Amino acid sequence: MSALTVLADGEFEAPGPSIFNFPPLWPGAPEWASKPTLLAVAGALIVCALGWAAFSRPKLVPRGMQNMGELGYLFVRDQVARPFLGKDAERWMPLLLSLFFLILLYNIFGVVPFVQIPIASHIAFPFVFAITIYVIKLYLGIKHQGLVGYFKNMMFPPGLPKPIYVLLAPIEFLSNLIIAPFTHAVRLFANMFAGHMLLAFFSAVGFWFLFERLTVTGAAVGVLGVVMTIVMTGFEIFIEFLQAFLFTMLAAMYIGGSLHPEH
């Protein structure tokens, strides 16, 4: 990834949306055959390989990859699945565990040298995840509550004065069927996009003032850019973990709401 574009007059262009544009991997390839797609497939294979290494031959006393895998399993189960799914937590653990680690790895790609692109900074990938959860949510809601019952429970929560429903029903409809899946995807996308832009900006500042315009003042600004790049990289790793956790938690909440509307 090139975070800096040098213009003809010697000035530089700040990193912009072009750093998210990736051409096809080879001449004549379809548009989807790009670096993010390749990394998405590689990430899925890596998660499968890590899961196989951790759980293919479980031992009574876990070691190595099994120990790491069980720690990840316990985290997702206790912090994500059980609070929202209760007795159904174990049933949905394969989906939630895979979703968490896949999104986490896709996000971590943004700070891996020579990769440096969080897959979720391309809106198509968060939307695929969000739509998948959205379809599961609708399917489970209609299956367990019936078509009429699902929309009734969603739009007309019990215990409120009837005139309130005139305003509440359309708000609940828009919130649950349109706004919720949209924000589910955009929250992940926006955080990864913004974080990637910040890292690209500070790294560009450091490179430019240390290697292209090296003066006393420029050196100070360049060093500041490098320091900020390091600091923001650490912060970005935290945000990448947090966004994977939040996306998976919301997925569990949506599934739980369809399975247990009374809660």
Side-chain angles (χ1 to χ4, degrees):
M1 176 192 69
S2 176
L4 184 69
T5 301
V6 180
L7 303 179
D9 58 1
E11 299 298 323
F12 76 93
E13 180 182 10
S18 61
I19 66 175
F20 295 92
N21 294 332
F22 293 92
L25 293 172
W26 64 89
E31 290 294 327
W32 57 263
S34 60
K35 181 180 177 180
T37 304
L38 177 64
L39 292 174
V41 174
L45 293 176
I46 291 172
V47 170
C48 291
L50 292 176
W52 180 264
F55 300 115
S56 61
R57 296 180 180 179
K59 300 183 183 300
L60 184 61
V61 180
R63 294 181 179 179
M65 287 301 301
Q66 182 184 346
N67 190 46
M68 296 298 294
E70 289 191 5
L71 288 175
Y73 184 94
L74 291 175
F75 172 78
V76 175
R77 185 193 68 184
D78 296 340
Q79 303 301 321
V80 176
R82 284 184 173 175
F84 295 101
L85 297 172
K87 60 184 177 62
D88 295 311
E90 297 292 341
R91 177 185 175 189
W92 291 96
M93 275 301 297
L95 172 64
L96 297 176
L97 189 68
S98 301
L99 187 65
F100 173 76
F101 279 107
L102 187 59
I103 294 176
L104 179 60
L105 182 60
Y106 281 1
N107 293 347
I108 291 295
F109 278 160
V111 296
V112 174
F114 305 109
V115 176
Q116 295 176 294
I117 176 67
I119 304 302
S121 66
H122 288 254
I123 189 64
F125 293 96
F127 265 123
V128 168
F129 289 133
I131 290 172
T132 300
I133 299 302
Y134 177 73
V135 171
I136 293 174
K137 169 189 172 182
L138 288 180
Y139 169 76
L140 292 174
I142 294 172
K143 177 182 178 181
H144 288 270
Q145 304 172 45
L147 180 62
V148 175
Y150 176 69
F151 284 96
K152 178 181 177 181
N153 292 330
M154 177 182 64
M155 299 172 62
F156 303 97
L160 297 175
K162 291 184 178 180
I164 297 295
Y165 292 126
V166 176
L167 294 175
L168 184 62
I171 293 175
E172 289 293 326
F173 179 84
L174 291 173
S175 175
N176 284 276
L177 295 184
I178 299 176
I179 298 175
F182 178 78
T183 56
H184 197 194
V186 170
R187 182 183 294 106
L188 175 60
F189 159 74
N191 278 275
M192 293 302 99
F193 184 92
H196 194 51
M197 289 288 289
L198 284 174
L199 289 180
F201 172 76
F202 285 117
S203 62
V205 169
F207 175 85
W208 178 256
F209 285 102
L210 288 177
F211 295 100
E212 298 291 336
R213 292 289 180 89
L214 184 57
T215 62
V216 175
T217 304
V221 175
V223 170
L224 179 61
V226 172
V227 171
M228 286 301 300
T229 301
I230 296 172
V231 171
M232 291 304 300
T233 298
F235 182 68
E236 183 66 7
I237 292 173
F238 169 73
I239 295 298
E240 288 166 349
F241 173 85
L242 181 63
Q243 288 304 313
F245 170 74
L246 290 176
F247 192 97
T248 310
M249 183 186 70
L250 287 171
M253 184 179 72
Y254 293 150
I255 292 172
S258 293
L259 291 174
H260 312 291
E262 64 277 8
H263 300 301

